[in-house]
Amino acid sequence: MLKYVGLRLVAVIPVVAFVVVAVFLLLHLAPGDPAALIAGENASPQQVALIRARLHLDEPLLAQFWMWLAHLGTLDLGNSIFSNQPVARLIAQRIEPTLMLAIATTVLTVLFAVPAGVFAAWKSGSTLDRGVMLMSVSGFSIPVFVIGYALIYVFAIQLHWLPVQGYKPLAGGLWPCLRSLLLPSIALALLFSALVARVARATVLEILSEDYIRTAQAKGARTPRVLLLHALKNAGVPIVTVIGLGFASLIGGMVVTESVFNIPGMGRLTVDAIMHRDYPVVQGVMLTFSVVLIVVNLLVDLSYSLFDPRIRYRGK
Amino acid sequence: MAPAPASGPGLATTVPAPRRVAFRRPGAAVIAGVAVLGTLVVIAVVAPLLIHDYVSINTGARLLPPGSEHWFGTDHLGRDIFDRTMVGSRNSLVVGACVALATTLLGVLFGLVAGYFRVVDSVLMRAMDGMMAIPGVLLAIALVSLLGGGLWTVIVAITVPEVPRTARLVRSVVLTLRELPFVTAAISVGTSTPKILLTHILPNAVGALTVQATYVCASAIIAEAVLSFLGVGTPPDIPSWGNVMAVGRQYFQLAPWIIGFPGVLLSVLVLAINTLGDSLRDRLDPHLARRSGL
């Protein structure tokens, strides 16, 4: 088991290295002078020079990179050009809404998509199955902001059940916070469920034709027991994998959803930073999101051994 | 599923049924998909020729609801949403098609090289892993903001995050095929490597690549709308569905039709493309179809 964990950790190193280099180089990929790009079109030469000096853009590229790495080592992501605050602090301030949204969405997705997929596979070919698959293909096809505005229109503007936009911090109580996140997390969960329900259905469908399912049924195990204990447990690895892989599109979806619902999270921070050409913030946010994504997928890899002991023993 | 091919008496057991791929009767979903896609392609070609005045500002007709005068209503500058949506369809289809094409070409290039040359493989694939670790939308908005707005920048920015998946697909096909007898036979008679890759290996990936390109096209159309919606997509002077909807953000409570109509059309188009992709996959790869549903 320890060897398995070790191998996984080592495999992550080159990926993290690539992300760090790519995010650093991003600013230098643009044609022309990065300082002029950040300053904008109407900047005076003095302003451009000031930005160049502040971001050390006048140093050689390699020296800049080492400086950036050294700062990263102390979790220093530089300062925002726009507000002059440390990027790490800006991210820390915005992390709560995004984290809450991610948790709410994942919980909703798992509660909805996994049973939907299992039932669709069990009643394969039925109306229910077709309904689940239609929902899945729609989730892939409707942009998350269109779903978001449709939900706002129905539940906030027409029915007045829920607030139109905004976020209530957790400090003000769990219920108001969850209420403010209900519509955005439903919008995101529809997107995420499309992926998860489809994989859950496909995997369970395949497992249901296995010999051990027939054996279980022949021995008189009741349907819920067969579905939950025999089928779903063995479908665990693909389902958890797709949740990990889907996290990338979930992060993209959160950036959009936070803009639609006016949630002051990391997604909004990203969009605002792009608008202000605040590249230290953009780099910081991209790096943070990427590291989160890598860690989530690492945890997914490690969780395999919970579902499938063969993986645990293979590492020995 | 197709019925078993009809066979003459006495012959059925000796003659194996031919592989039937084409000429299966298309289902209702496919017909609907082709109809929607065809209609929108026609609109995308014809609308910009017929509708010339989709930019002029008419302050007397601000935020009008849909009616006989303005079928889809008007925006905050009194511009007709129907006209702008029809003209904007061209942009979405152009972006979708260009991204699908560019992704496929680059994916084939990287995938063939990585799959066939062991030395390049580990480096290239780690780079692809790294790229997949950066959320696609983030990478795309960062690229657009750095490279400056414009239709081609948007296409490049959406293509870059899509390439790794296609490259992996091609690589996996190459890895399975390169050990098969027909490839080793080709090597042993001295066929050159580019020829093996292009004439022996690539044709076997065409089916999977076509399906993948369909999905890439669908997700590129959504990505363009998302970028424009966030204000970093197609420049405002080119009408696109994303642009039209971006305007609607501030006026959503007053004028939900600005987002509503283009949003529905966009969803219907992407749904049609995805449905076609699914049925194409079912046809080309029955085994995969059983696994992935629909």
Side-chain angles (χ1 to χ4, degrees), chain A residues 91-135:
Chain A
I91 291 177
Q93 284 168 353
R94 302 293 197 102
I95 220 156
E96 184 202 297
T98 303
L99 197 64
M100 290 299 294
L101 184 57
I103 294 172
T105 304
T106 313
V107 168
L108 275 181
T109 302
V110 171
L111 286 182
F112 171 69
V114 173
V118 172
F119 277 117
W122 178 39
K123 294 282 182 193
S124 154
S126 67
T127 318
L128 185 110
D129 182 23
R130 280 169 193 280
V132 169
M133 290 319 286
L134 183 70
M135 189 220 71

Side-chain angles (χ1 to χ4, degrees), chain A residues 26 141 143 201-202 206 275 293, chain B residues 133 145-146 230 266 274 291 293:
Chain A
L26 201 62
S141 307
R201 175 189 178 276
E206 194 162 321
M275 293 300 164
L293 196 58
Chain B
S145 76
L146 282 167
L230 292 175
L266 177 77
N274 274 331
R291 281 170 35 123

Side-chain angles (χ1 to χ4, degrees), chain A residues 2 6 118 160 208 210 212 224-225 232 241 271:
Chain A
L2 223 60
V118 172
H160 300 288
L208 286 181
E210 297 276 344
Y212 60 82
R225 193 181 156 84
L232 191 56
T241 307
V271 176

Side-chain angles (χ1 to χ4, degrees), chain B residues 3-258:
Chain B
S7 48
L11 280 173
T13 46
T14 48
V15 182
R19 271 192 69 197
R20 288 176 47 141
V21 175
F23 307 119
R24 205 193 299 161
R25 223 177 61 198
V30 178
I31 296 172
V34 171
V36 168
L37 187 60
T39 312
L40 281 165
V41 168
V42 170
I43 289 174
V45 173
V46 174
L49 304 175
L50 297 180
I51 303 167
H52 301 291
D53 186 26
Y54 49 84
V55 283
S56 68
I57 294 165
N58 179 1
T59 42
R62 295 181 73 230
L63 301 177
L64 288 179
S68 58
E69 185 81 2
H70 301 283
W71 289 355
F72 288 3
T74 61
D75 67 7
H76 66 304
L77 299 173
R79 296 176 297 189
D80 188 274
I81 299 293
F82 178 79
D83 287 356
R84 292 180 68 75
T85 306
M86 292 300 122
V87 176
S89 61
R90 177 178 280 189
N91 190 62
S92 286
L93 285 167
V94 165
V95 169
C98 288
V99 170
L101 192 67
T103 305
T104 307
L105 289 178
L106 289 173
V108 164
L109 179 70
F110 290 140
L112 285 182
V113 170
Y116 208 80
F117 303 103
R118 282 262 163 85
V119 198
V120 199
D121 183 37
S122 53
V123 179
L124 210 54
M125 280 301 125
R126 288 300 80 73
M128 295 288 160
D129 287 349
M131 238 157 82
M132 284 172 91
I134 304 174
V137 172
L138 279 187
L139 187 56
I141 54 178
L143 284 173
V144 177
S145 76
L146 282 167
L147 300 173
L151 186 58
W152 293 109
T153 321
V154 171
I155 291 172
V156 170
I158 298 173
T159 303
V160 170
E162 293 278 359
V163 170
R165 218 176 299 261
T166 305
R168 281 175 157 233
L169 177 77
V170 176
R171 173 179 176 268
S172 71
V173 173
V174 178
L175 285 182
T176 13
L177 291 181
R178 55 179 284 173
E179 308 299 335
L180 292 187
F182 76 94
V183 175
T184 33
I187 297 173
S188 67
V189 297
T191 317
S192 70
T193 307
K195 193 169 180 203
I196 292 177
L197 286 175
L198 292 178
T199 64
H200 295 283
I201 290 181
L202 191 57
N204 289 291
V206 166
L209 271 173
T210 316
V211 175
Q212 178 69 10
T214 324
Y215 294 143
V216 169
C217 176
S219 79
I221 291 175
I222 292 187
E224 188 277 329
V226 163
L227 290 184
S228 301
F229 179 77
L230 292 175
V232 289
T234 313
D237 51 317
I238 307 174
S240 87
W241 289 345
N243 277 341
V244 176
M245 289 189 275
V247 166
R249 275 175 77 175
Q250 283 146 315
Y251 303 97
F252 185 70
Q253 303 212 33
L254 288 170
W257 51 85
I258 304 179

Side-chain angles (χ1 to χ4, degrees), chain A residues 200-218:
Chain A
R201 175 189 178 276
T203 319
V204 172
L205 199 59
E206 194 162 321
I207 288 172
L208 286 181
S209 66
E210 297 276 344
D211 292 341
Y212 60 82
I213 296 290
R214 201 180 46 209
T215 310
Q217 280 168 335

Side-chain angles (χ1 to χ4, degrees), chain A residues 71-314:
Chain A
H71 285 166
L72 273 188
T74 59
L75 290 182
D76 177 6
L77 296 167
N79 284 356
S80 156
I81 295 171
F82 188 68
S83 65
N84 209 15
Q85 288 197 45
V87 173
R89 191 196 294 163
L90 286 175
I91 291 177
Q93 284 168 353
R94 302 293 197 102
I95 220 156
E96 184 202 297
T98 303
L99 197 64
M100 290 299 294
L101 184 57
I103 294 172
T105 304
T106 313
V107 168
L108 275 181
T109 302
V110 171
L111 286 182
F112 171 69
V114 173
V118 172
F119 277 117
W122 178 39
K123 294 282 182 193
S124 154
S126 67
T127 318
L128 185 110
D129 182 23
R130 280 169 193 280
V132 169
M133 290 319 286
L134 183 70
M135 189 220 71
S136 165
V137 91
S138 309
F140 279 121
S141 307
I142 308 175
V144 66
F145 64 88
V146 173
I147 302 178
Y149 277 114
L151 290 174
I152 292 180
Y153 184 73
V154 174
F155 293 101
I157 296 180
Q158 294 295 321
L159 297 171
H160 300 288
W161 287 356
L162 291 158
V164 174
Q165 283 176 326
Y167 172 74
K168 300 269 188 304
L170 199 54
L174 184 64
W175 172 238
C177 173
L178 288 182
R179 204 172 118 89
S180 69
L181 284 177
L182 194 58
L183 289 183
S185 54
I186 290 176
L188 276 171
L190 282 175
L191 175 89
F192 207 8
S193 296
L195 200 64
V196 177
R198 185 177 271 232
V199 170
R201 175 189 178 276
T203 319
V204 172
L205 199 59
E206 194 162 321
I207 288 172
L208 286 181
S209 66
E210 297 276 344
D211 292 341
Y212 60 82
I213 296 290
R214 201 180 46 209
T215 310
Q217 280 168 335
K219 285 167 77 178
R222 278 175 306 156
T223 310
R225 193 181 156 84
V226 172
L227 280 181
L228 293 176
L229 210 69
H230 297 265
L232 191 56
K233 196 180 171 205
N234 284 289
V237 169
I239 291 175
V240 173
T241 307
V242 79
I243 290 177
L245 290 176
F247 225 77
S249 42
L250 180 63
I251 290 175
M254 284 201 293
V255 172
V256 180
T257 311
E258 286 181 8
S259 293
V260 171
F261 288 92
N262 210 3
I263 296 169
M266 282 179 64
R268 275 294 299 283
L269 183 67
T270 317
V271 176
D272 291 347
I274 294 266
M275 293 300 164
H276 295 137
R277 301 171 166 275
D278 198 345
Y279 287 102
V281 177
V282 174
Q283 286 180 317
V285 175
M286 282 183 77
L287 202 61
T288 312
F289 272 134
S290 304
V291 168
V292 168
L293 196 58
I294 292 170
V295 170
V296 165
N297 280 298
L298 183 68
L299 291 177
V300 164
D301 271 3
L302 296 181
S303 78
Y304 289 169
S305 55
L306 287 179
F307 292 100
D308 192 344
R310 281 170 297 184
I311 294 172
R312 191 159 55 216
Y313 295 125
R314 204 180 299 148

